[in-house]
Amino acid sequence: MENLVTLVPLIPIVPLLTFAIIVVFTRRNNKLSSYLAVAAIFISFLISMVIVFNAVAGMPHFAEEPAVHLTLLRIPTGATTLDIGVQIDPLTVALLFMVPTVCLMIFIYSIGYMEGDPRYSRFFAYICLFATGMLGLVVADNLLLLFISWEVMGLCSYLLIGFWFEKPEAMWAGLKAFITTRIGDVLLMLGMVILYSQTGALRFETVFEGVEHLAQTNPNLMFITALLVFGGAVGKSAQFPLHVWLPDAMEGPTPVSALIHAATMVAAGVFLVARMMPIFVVLAGMPALAWVAAIGAITAFFASTIAIAQDDIKRVLAYSTISQLGYMIMCLGIGGFVAAVFHLITHAFFKALLFLGSGSVIHGVGTNDMMEMGGLRKKMPYTFWTFLVGMLALAGVPPLAGFWSKDEILAIAFVQNPVVWVMGTLAAFVTAFYMTRQVCLTFAGEPRNEDIHAHESPPVMYVPLIVLAVGAALLGLLGVPADFPVLGPLLGNNPFHHFLAQQFHHWDYVHLPHVGFNASVMLISVVMALAGIGLGYLIYGRKPLGAGQRDPLERMGVIWTLLRNKYYIDEIYRATIIRAAIGVADLFLSFDQGIIDGIVNLIGKLTERWSWVSGLFDTYVIDGIVNGVGRVTSAVGQELRYIQTGRVQNYMIMVVISLLLLVGVFLYM
Amino acid sequence: MDWAETLILLSPQLILVVWALLVLGLDLLVTKAKDSLAYLALAGLAPALGAAVYLLLQRTGQSLLSGMVQVDAYSLYFTVIACLASGLVILASMEYMKARTRYRGEFYGLLLLATLAMTLMAASTNLIMIYLSIEFMSLTSYVLVGYFRDDPKSSEGGLKYFLFGAVTSSLMLYGMSLMYGATGTTDLAEIATNLAAMHATMPPMRWLILPAILFMLAGFSFKMALVPFHQWSPDAYEGAPTPVATLLSVGPKAMGFSILLRVLITAVPLFQFDWVAILMGISLVTMTLGNLTAMRQTNIKRMLAYSSIAQAGYVLVGLVSLVPSSIGIQGVLLYLMAYLFTNAGAFIAVIAFSHVTNSDEIADYAGLVRRAPALAAVMVVFFMSLAGLPPTAGFVGKLLVFGAAVQAGYYYLAIVGVVNSVISVVYYFNVVRQMFFLPPTVEGRLSLPRFPMAAVIICVVLVLLIGLYPQPLIDLVSQSVTLLAVIP
């Protein structure tokens, strides 16, 4: 393992280099750029798999030592050093299994989906950078590298959501995602600063050792710090009340939606909370964790209800993602570390599958509106069957992946917090319902729009769907509870749980609950899932909607309107926070115009008076002001004109380039 | 250290502050006789210069204001350079400014403030103070360069200078922050001790300190107009009022060297091997590029701008040859003093010429010997000194720095330097050829302005004096550098 860790930096670096190569060299060659990108992520994938298999084979290792490190940089900071490096620990390994695999599928799929786009190469450059961000985040052994990767992803999400920036919605969506997640980023940074100032370190292990002391000396600060770090996750993982950016992020190309929703961006927030688990549980009574659970449970339920009333095929999935992330956060909030990570991974597979499937549908029919679709089952068979697997997995139908992971969460919730369990179970029911609605509206019955002639997507698109469908179907078997009759022992007594549970072995204060198999909870969740599907089938499946028919749920009246408009949260934000911000800006403007200008004018007036009284400076001052204004204006114009010739920029670029060259030359001399 | 002593040691700076404010204040009241302010400014420089010379001869050496500044022979030597440069520039500006602008009162105030900034640059021993004084110097220079706000060239020069300065200053600040982050202090001497302590325990920090040095170097090099941080200077020199170009070419450039030396030798002697290599490279490129570009110029101000870039390259030759003896550093100091009179003299001669002809084109210097024989004669002296020919001050300076390079074993550096000097003869004597061997395009004797000519005479006398009898100056610089403490 010690030797293998030297390979770890390559996992994020290869896509990063590819990003640079595409931007600098191969930008004009679309085909080459896309192949390079796929090759890069494939290399990352191979390295990751080598690491994963070795880590799993060498399992006892992590019980003795929390992680294998490789320090890349040592920054001297006066008395101490700041070490920046990568690490391998069970959590990293788990994500290294998921992230490159899903990314690889999405990259391959993009070759087909983005066909003919005028900025084809640029797209592949961006998604390479995106993958770099996520992979760097996963392998980081310290908060600094984690934060940098986190921000790289934030930048990429902005670039990719607004990729079709000719569409104003896309531009605004990119901006909205960037600004909303920025709120969380600032909170995270504050938390990071506090942790650094209190523990003197940014490396996770050292921080975890240091917070034990902090929790005793200053519990309030510890509590606030944990909440600040959680704030970062709330922004990134689109939890209530910062969830508003994610549905709008649908404006980006569909592979980007899949990337954001499954493998990268939103997973980062859950990953952060999982990674920083010790700082949430270090305080007696775990007050911070209660907040995590509450936010997660609220998000899980409320986002799932919104999904019922959406017509945009991707928007339904977006709210479903928010809801599922709520599940994970909620699960972390009740101490279910392993279950949350397990769900993160299975969810990545089936949500990527669903998104790519919806992309395939959009590719085929050319619209996002499910009301225009219908009857696609025969026209797009591969898409239909894989989509169905994804839908059943998400709905929690045994024995697909989503069933096992969701059930583990509910089993823990049942023991730890009944309220959370009720919310989770209800959400599971609603999830099964809206997914059935989606499948029926899209694939069942006859086409509702005669003008649309759907066709199946090319193999480069549906082969990834099949691979992901296999994952979505079978992955759950890694996490079958050990005491599940027959299957448990047969499948190695829950190897996933066994592996990941070593994560926080080294910190005595981390006590995570272990909950076994509970037949009644499992039975209830299966019944709920089937009930949701059944109800969905009754309403949408038995008699599929014909052309021009309205959604039967509209009969719910006020509730429908409320759900359809997403509880008016965007409108509330616009009426309160955004208006307040604009109001403050206006206030400053009027302050500027009223008071500052007033003062200036007053001074001007006084001067005028005084000069009139003295009668001496008359011509000088007043004429001077008038002429001066004219002269300054024309001078500024002149100056700007000269600046526009562009030479100064060249000077500066030359300065920076030569300086960087010097630094490079002398560092490697 | 009582207050009285502190005040005495800081008297040059204090005099300059008071006088600058006085001139600025009086500018509001005096409406007619603006030129009296120039005399007033000169009258303020004289006691400041006197105080600096007095303190220099006293051989004082004292760290002041909690280690922010240090008044020692080294800083006082540069204080003297600053005051002299400023005095010459004021002399040169009188008729020039009078003919061009109504608003010239604050010009002299700004010049005094620039002088103050230069003396502070020379005395700073703390990164914060260094940054502040460099910014102070830069801000006043931006205003001075763009002083003719109706003249697009002047405004353009000022704005370019400003933009360029802002970028390099931020780079420098970044370097300083890296240095502070690595060592936990901004005091130059403490940086050296902390680095030495860390060097024992944490060897792999070269990759942090070296970028820090290089980034700071970017800021200093901007002031000294070293390649590749030189691009602003031809534009700024050409656009600026010529007296301001004079000041920029001798004042801040010398102060840049003073800070560079102080920082490198006091704070990072541990990395001498690296920075000597860096500066050697910069020196070679600076000399060569400056000289080659100067050859192509048709405007004498641009030619002098490139020539002064090249001159900075020669000074660096002395700087990098600091082992085995202090002769290289002595050479730097002496060269800067010699260069002050030479370059200022050349620039002021150009001012005098353009004052009557309104031209800076080299072609217009044709036949100058017939129209203004005295001016032509002194210009020959300045060009000889710039090219490093005996018996001028420039020769002594070049002798010292190239001699130091040979002594240090950097033969190729000395050879490149000498070859460059030969190249420079070509374009300097192109002007001489114009003045002496070509017929004038316009007939008639020139009536030259009085004050600039006085400044030119002072310069030419000193250039020849230093060239013929350099011993006192050599003694002075050897004393100044021993107080730089760390010189072997």
Side-chain angles (χ1 to χ4, degrees), chain A residues 261-512:
Chain A
H261 284 252
T264 59
M265 190 85 171
V266 296
V270 177
F271 175 79
L272 175 73
V273 179
R275 172 61 89 206
M276 302 303 285
M277 205 62 188
I279 73 165
F280 291 95
V281 300
V282 68
L283 268 185
M286 310 182 192
L289 216 52
W291 279 90
V292 176
I295 294 281
I298 291 171
T299 313
F301 180 68
F302 117 112
S304 67
T305 58
I306 298 178
I308 297 175
Q310 302 305 315
D311 287 344
D312 183 321
I313 187 169
K314 280 166 78 182
R315 240 166 227 278
V316 173
L317 295 176
Y319 281 103
S320 151
T321 304
I322 297 177
S323 158
Q324 295 301 310
L325 291 166
Y327 255 91
M328 298 168 209
I329 294 284
M330 163 185 109
C331 179
L332 287 167
I334 50 178
F337 168 77
V338 177
V341 176
F342 188 40
H343 195 54
L344 178 66
I345 289 170
T346 57
H347 173 259
F349 276 87
F350 58 69
K351 194 45 75 60
L353 169 62
L354 288 171
F355 262 110
L356 296 184
S358 75
S360 175
V361 169
I362 296 168
H363 193 73
V365 299
T367 172
N368 284 12
D369 190 351
M370 294 195 293
M371 289 301 162
E372 304 269 302
M373 299 173 187
L376 295 179
R377 183 163 68 95
K378 300 213 180 62
K379 291 180 173 171
M380 308 180 76
Y382 291 112
T383 308
F384 168 67
W385 287 108
T386 52
F387 199 90
L388 190 68
V389 172
M391 170 254 159
L392 292 174
L394 174 56
V397 172
L400 302 175
F403 164 72
W404 299 108
S405 56
K406 191 181 286 189
D407 186 66
E408 195 173 343
I409 293 177
L410 292 176
I412 296 171
F414 185 72
V415 179
Q416 295 294 100
N417 190 332
V419 180
V420 169
W421 176 71
V422 171
M423 300 270 280
T425 309
L426 284 178
F429 168 72
V430 179
T431 305
F433 174 73
Y434 68 69
M435 284 315 295
T436 313
R437 172 177 178 266
Q438 182 173 40
V439 169
C440 293
L441 283 179
T442 312
F443 295 100
E446 295 303 320
R448 279 184 291 277
N449 187 337
E450 295 301 329
D451 303 335
I452 290 175
H453 303 286
H455 56 84
E456 181 60 283
S457 301
V460 71
M461 285 170 72
Y462 68 66
V463 170
L465 291 181
I466 295 170
V467 174
L468 287 171
V470 171
L474 299 180
L475 261 187
L477 299 180
L478 288 176
V480 175
D483 36 10
F484 191 87
V486 190
L487 263 185
L490 195 67
L491 294 169
N493 291 323
N494 199 346
F496 186 84
H497 189 284
H498 198 56
F499 178 70
L500 210 61
Q502 310 165 83
Q503 177 76 13
F504 298 117
H505 239 270
H506 283 260
W507 289 277
D508 299 332
Y509 58 85
V510 183
H511 303 288
L512 298 176

Side-chain angles (χ1 to χ4, degrees), chain A residues 74-78 81 617 631 635 638-639 642-643 647-648 651-652 654-655 658-659 662-663 666-667 669, chain B residues 149-150 152 155-156 159-160 163-164 167 181-182 198 202 206-208 210 214-215 228-229 231 235 278:
Chain A
R74 296 214 120 139
I75 304 175
T77 52
T81 57
F617 293 101
R631 220 173 279 153
Q638 287 286 2
E639 283 161 28
Y642 277 92
I643 291 306
R647 290 204 311 187
V648 186
Y651 294 176
M652 288 170 196
M654 218 190 115
V655 164
S658 43
L659 189 62
L662 274 177
V663 171
F666 278 93
L667 283 185
M669 208 171 64
Chain B
R149 61 178 182 198
D150 303 332
S155 306
E156 181 200 346
L159 206 57
K160 277 187 178 168
L163 290 172
F164 202 87
V167 170
M198 284 158 66
M202 287 183 277
R206 188 165 167 267
W207 60 267
L208 181 61
L210 263 184
L214 279 164
F215 277 87
F229 308 99
Q231 296 113 317
D235 287 344
I278 295 166

Side-chain angles (χ1 to χ4, degrees), chain B residues 116-184:
Chain B
L116 171 65
M118 286 193 277
T119 61
L120 288 174
M121 278 167 87
S124 307
T125 50
N126 187 305
L127 289 182
I128 293 174
M129 193 64 203
I130 289 176
Y131 178 72
L132 288 176
S133 56
I134 288 184
E135 280 301 280
F136 183 15
M137 179 69 228
S138 301
L139 287 172
T140 43
S141 328
Y142 303 146
V143 180
L144 284 171
V145 169
Y147 200 79
F148 295 147
R149 61 178 182 198
D150 303 332
D151 173 7
K153 269 201 165 174
S154 176
S155 306
E156 181 200 346
L159 206 57
K160 277 187 178 168
Y161 187 30
F162 169 70
L163 290 172
F164 202 87
V167 170
T168 48
S169 143
S170 57
L171 292 174
M172 171 176 69
L173 198 57
Y174 182 54
M176 288 176 172
S177 72
L178 286 180
M179 191 57 98
Y180 173 70
T183 61

Side-chain angles (χ1 to χ4, degrees), chain B residues 445-461:
Chain B
R445 287 187 76 90
L446 297 175
S447 65
L448 294 166
R450 257 181 313 143
F451 287 103
M453 283 317 284
V456 166
I457 302 297
I458 294 173
C459 289
V460 82
V461 167

Side-chain angles (χ1 to χ4, degrees), chain A residues 554-633:
Chain A
E554 281 182 37
R555 270 172 266 160
M556 290 196 302
V558 182
I559 300 178
W560 170 264
T561 321
L562 190 65
L563 295 180
R564 179 114 182 140
N565 290 296
K566 310 143 207 163
Y567 297 101
Y568 292 101
I569 290 179
D570 274 310
E571 284 74 11
I572 293 170
Y573 283 172
R574 212 167 296 145
T576 54
I577 300 173
I578 298 178
R579 179 181 290 179
I582 293 175
V584 169
D586 280 344
L587 194 71
F588 281 127
L589 183 67
S590 55
F591 176 76
D592 226 28
Q593 287 174 339
I595 301 184
I596 307 261
D597 287 5
I599 292 173
V600 173
N601 291 341
L602 189 70
I603 293 173
K605 281 238 174 67
L606 286 179
T607 325
E608 197 182 334
R609 276 294 137 76
W610 181 76
S611 63
W612 177 72
V613 170
S614 68
L616 251 171
F617 293 101
D618 211 24
T619 46
Y620 275 107
V621 178
I622 298 175
D623 286 359
I625 288 175
V626 174
N627 292 341
V629 168
R631 220 173 279 153
V632 168
T633 322

Side-chain angles (χ1 to χ4, degrees), chain A residues 141-294:
Chain A
D141 80 339
N142 60 86
L143 275 167
L144 187 63
L145 184 55
L146 181 140
F147 189 72
I148 294 170
S149 311
W150 180 276
E151 289 294 323
V152 168
M153 257 196 291
L155 170 72
C156 289
S157 68
Y158 167 72
L159 293 173
L160 283 168
I161 293 170
F163 188 73
W164 288 324
F165 51 74
E166 298 88 349
K167 285 199 299 184
E169 301 88 13
M171 193 193 76
W172 284 115
L175 212 56
K176 188 171 175 183
F178 196 61
I179 293 172
T180 315
T181 53
R182 190 53 17 103
I183 298 173
D185 297 355
V186 170
L187 298 179
L188 172 59
M189 187 143 97
L190 286 176
M192 225 172 94
V193 169
I194 297 179
L195 283 176
Y196 182 65
S197 67
Q198 294 298 324
T199 65
L202 287 173
R203 185 187 261 210
F204 298 126
E205 283 165 25
T206 333
V207 169
F208 296 161
E209 279 156 22
V211 289
E212 207 174 352
H213 178 69
L214 176 63
Q216 281 155 8
T217 51
N218 197 344
N220 288 333
L221 186 64
M222 188 65 242
F223 174 60
I224 292 169
T225 311
L227 281 192
L228 287 171
V229 171
F230 179 55
V234 169
K236 212 64 153 183
S237 282
Q239 295 296 291
F240 178 81
L242 294 182
H243 64 281
V244 288
W245 66 270
L246 192 57
D248 288 6
M250 295 302 97
E251 295 297 340
T254 306
V256 172
S257 311
L259 210 52
I260 288 179
H261 284 252
T264 59
M265 190 85 171
V266 296
V270 177
F271 175 79
L272 175 73
V273 179
R275 172 61 89 206
M276 302 303 285
M277 205 62 188
I279 73 165
F280 291 95
V281 300
V282 68
L283 268 185
M286 310 182 192
L289 216 52
W291 279 90
V292 176

